[in-house]
Amino acid sequence: ASVAMAFDVKFERVNEELRCQVAMNVDSKLGDIQRQQQYNEDKASAAMASDVKFEGVNEELRCQVAMNVDSKLADIERQKQADEDKASVAMAFDVKLERVNAELRCQVA
């Protein structure tokens, strides 16, 4: 009986040690999980901040592209007007040249 009691006492101590080790392992794993969760939340938060900043950059780029397109369209419109003006001057010159030629023909005749 004495040996059995000693064995029970020793077995109880082993069980207590195992319970402590299990509790420490559980605490350690919970700590790891909490750290991983915090890390994931921090990454998500940084990604959201990056998305917001990227959206701002995208908006700026859209504005710059729109301004460039407007500027190019205005350049094209000015060039078109200049070409039309040149064509109009050339036509007027051709008409005047035709009159001069007609006058010369009359004089020659």
Side-chain angles (χ1 to χ4, degrees), residues 20-80:
C20 286
Q21 286 179 0
V22 167
M24 288 188 323
N25 283 343
V26 168
D27 287 347
S28 175
K29 291 295 179 189
L30 285 174
D32 290 347
I33 290 168
Q34 287 172 341
R35 280 189 293 280
Q36 185 63 44
Q37 185 177 5
Q38 185 61 49
Y39 173 75
N40 290 343
E41 288 173 4
D42 291 348
K43 274 182 24 181
S45 179
M48 281 176 54
S50 176
D51 285 349
V52 168
K53 187 172 184 179
F54 192 67
E55 189 56 40
V57 170
N58 277 345
E59 190 57 36
E60 271 187 49
L61 289 175
R62 280 188 211 105
C63 287
Q64 287 179 358
V65 166
M67 289 188 327
N68 285 344
V69 167
D70 288 347
S71 175
K72 291 295 180 191
L73 286 174
D75 290 347
I76 290 168
E77 191 58 39
R78 280 191 293 277
Q79 186 61 47
K80 181 180 169 189

Side-chain angles (χ1 to χ4, degrees), residues 32 85 94:
D32 290 347
D85 292 348
D94 285 348

